[in-house]
Amino acid sequence: MLKTIGVIGGNVCSKEIADIAFKVGERIAKNGAILVCGGLGGVMKAAAKGAKSAGGTTIGILPTQTKKDANPYIDIPIVTGMSIARNVIVVRSSDAVIAIDGRYGTLSEIAIALNLGIPVIGLKTWDIKAPIKIAKTPEQAVELAINYST
Amino acid sequence: MLKTIGVIGGNVCSKEIADIAFKVGERIAKNGAILVCGGLGGVMKAAAKGAKSAGGTTIGILPTQTKKDANPYIDIPIVTGMSIARNVIVVRSSDAVIAIDGRYGTLSEIAIALNLGIPVIGLKTWDIKAPIKIAKTPEQAVELAINYST
Amino acid sequence: MLKTIGVIGGNVCSKEIADIAFKVGERIAKNGAILVCGGLGGVMKAAAKGAKSAGGTTIGILPTQTKKDANPYIDIPIVTGMSIARNVIVVRSSDAVIAIDGRYGTLSEIAIALNLGIPVIGLKTWDIKAPIKIAKTPEQAVELAINYST
Amino acid sequence: MLKTIGVIGGNVCSKEIADIAFKVGERIAKNGAILVCGGLGGVMKAAAKGAKSAGGTTIGILPTQTKKDANPYIDIPIVTGMSIARNVIVVRSSDAVIAIDGRYGTLSEIAIALNLGIPVIGLKTWDIKAPIKIAKTPEQAVELAINYST
């Protein structure tokens, strides 16, 4: 079974953050892992685009009721219709998660991962008192995610 | 985006039903569609094995809290930790579902699909007053699923 | 802890069915049990109205994202935002369920209850091959629900 | 419809925190609001005990599959069987939430509330960069929750 690395972050993001997310996605694919994300825009879209650019496989776990809401770089949409409760499934389906930027939705995913004992790698994201492994670059983030994944 | 065909049925089944499920999975793969199932044993395992025998891709949407519970023919485990509520996600993530044999869990998935307007193909399964398309063979079931998928 | 009796049925129903649901809700309250339902219209609304007419307590487990969607006879709205997956919670939170009329959503709840071993009482509802206890009147339905509740 | 105030916090807590949670629950009941919590031990149990001591009503939204897991001060157990995804329902069903102490599960609930625009009152809990209203005492926490509730 292939490793699955989750990428979590906002549905809207700056160009700079999108570039970082793209590189993270690309690197996940080059490492032979599957990218798991929430399937929508912003960080999720950029990471999925990066993974596809490197020939990877992308899974988008959607909060909405139709796969039409998936961004165009998602290979496999999982349709939950469960709104923000889908965040739990994004996290649980990942062997490690990389948090990039993000606001409260991302913070909820970080907290769920910490609660469940799933490794969290942080890249320009929330600074909280918790065992998040801080990465300086996309390359380092993916390396940490691969090495610490459960 | 590839078509996704769900296969729903019991976690335990007879040899005869397993053979049918295997053929359904095989046929889904040969049609270039992705197999979605609940990821556990019985019909789910036989269908996933069939899909893999034909080089297909298999998704298992698990009710439990770890991907270790997936049967060995699942490529991509989706871990929900939501118990029977994962049935909703199996159905929503499928463009059509093929119900094979099965008991109450399968009936719940048939009913959810009918409620959501997702086509249901029946193969030796529940006989209820509803617009289920009845198939006589695995080949016919997959053909109906592909043709009627949303 | 008080007994909880679930009433499941469609979001739209005839006057005749609403009268039956009202009497079921009234009877649940008179038996000192709490009414659990999906919180919306039709059978759910009529049953909640009946329970309130007899001084009972009503819980509405909503599929939507705001308690404003609850019918006016709901004392305690539980807001899931999980769409049809809330059906699982309606069933699990009930010591027994009474199915009145209904279509595929109701059938999914009947099937989930049967799967989980929660007693199902049927009143002018789905006729399927399953251990549903058939009631002829609202009074009998509630009596069976109270007696067989887990 | 009565106001619902959620109390979120750990399943295990110190005597000092339990005393605070008890007073918060008591105060919620004295204000005529319903207490919503996760139904288990620690902060949840102490808050529910406090609410019952003042004649209030308590709702416990359980992650597990049986109402037997509810603490003895829960009037109405809602059984989700959805593990940590029940945190979403605790938050959504509250007009405001009071976070007391807590670790990652509590942080996930704080983040979900912030994401959904539900007011969060903090009492000896996570210190993060977010619009959490900080209370110094149980009395102040409940006053803020009542005043800011949606």
Side-chain angles (χ1 to χ4, degrees), chain D residues 81-96:
Chain D
M82 290 185 182
S83 180
I84 196 176
R86 77 82 146 77
N87 289 12
V88 170
I89 307 176
V90 170
V91 171
R92 277 199 187 283
S93 299
S94 301
D95 295 327

Side-chain angles (χ1 to χ4, degrees), chain B residues 17-35:
Chain B
I17 291 296
D19 286 348
I20 290 171
F22 180 94
K23 284 179 192 160
V24 165
E26 186 180 36
R27 205 78 187 171
I28 288 170
K30 285 186 177 168
N31 273 273
I34 292 173
L35 170 75

Side-chain angles (χ1 to χ4, degrees), chain A residues 82-85 88 92 104-112 114-116 126-131, chain D residues 82-85 88 92 104-112 114-116 126-131:
Chain A
M82 288 184 181
S83 182
I84 196 177
V88 171
R92 276 199 189 282
Y104 305 129
T106 303
L107 180 60
S108 77
E109 292 174 305
I110 291 172
I112 292 163
L114 291 167
N115 180 276
L116 297 173
W126 285 87
D127 177 19
I128 57 170
K129 284 182 193 161
Chain D
M82 290 185 182
S83 180
I84 196 176
V88 170
R92 277 199 187 283
Y104 305 128
T106 303
L107 180 60
S108 77
E109 292 174 306
I110 291 171
I112 292 163
L114 293 166
N115 180 276
L116 297 173
W126 285 87
D127 178 18
I128 56 169
K129 284 183 193 160

Side-chain angles (χ1 to χ4, degrees), chain D residues 6 8 22 27 45 47-48 53 56 58 72-73 75 78 84 95 97 99 104 116 122 124 134 136 139-140 150:
Chain D
I8 58 182
F22 180 93
R27 205 80 187 171
K45 185 174 174 181
S53 78
T58 58
Y73 306 103
D75 294 318
I78 303 295
I84 196 176
D95 295 327
V97 295
Y104 305 128
L116 297 173
K124 293 180 176 284
I134 304 301
K136 299 281 183 197
E139 292 72 20
Q140 195 192 1
T150 50

Side-chain angles (χ1 to χ4, degrees), chain A residues 57-137:
Chain A
T57 298
T58 58
I59 299 172
I61 300 177
L62 295 162
T64 59
Q65 304 191 11
T66 166
K67 68 177 184 179
K68 289 176 190 163
D69 293 329
N71 72 58
Y73 306 103
I74 296 300
D75 294 318
I76 299 171
I78 303 296
V79 186
T80 71
M82 288 184 181
S83 182
I84 196 177
R86 77 80 147 81
N87 289 12
V88 171
I89 308 175
V90 170
V91 171
R92 276 199 189 282
S93 299
S94 301
D95 296 326
V97 295
I98 299 172
I100 305 172
D101 193 53
R103 286 174 58 75
Y104 305 129
T106 303
L107 180 60
S108 77
E109 292 174 305
I110 291 172
I112 292 163
L114 291 167
N115 180 276
L116 297 173
I118 292 169
V120 180
I121 320 301
L123 193 55
K124 293 181 175 283
T125 190
W126 285 87
D127 177 19
I128 57 170
K129 284 182 193 161
I132 297 175
K133 291 167 220 317
I134 304 302
K136 299 280 182 197
T137 64

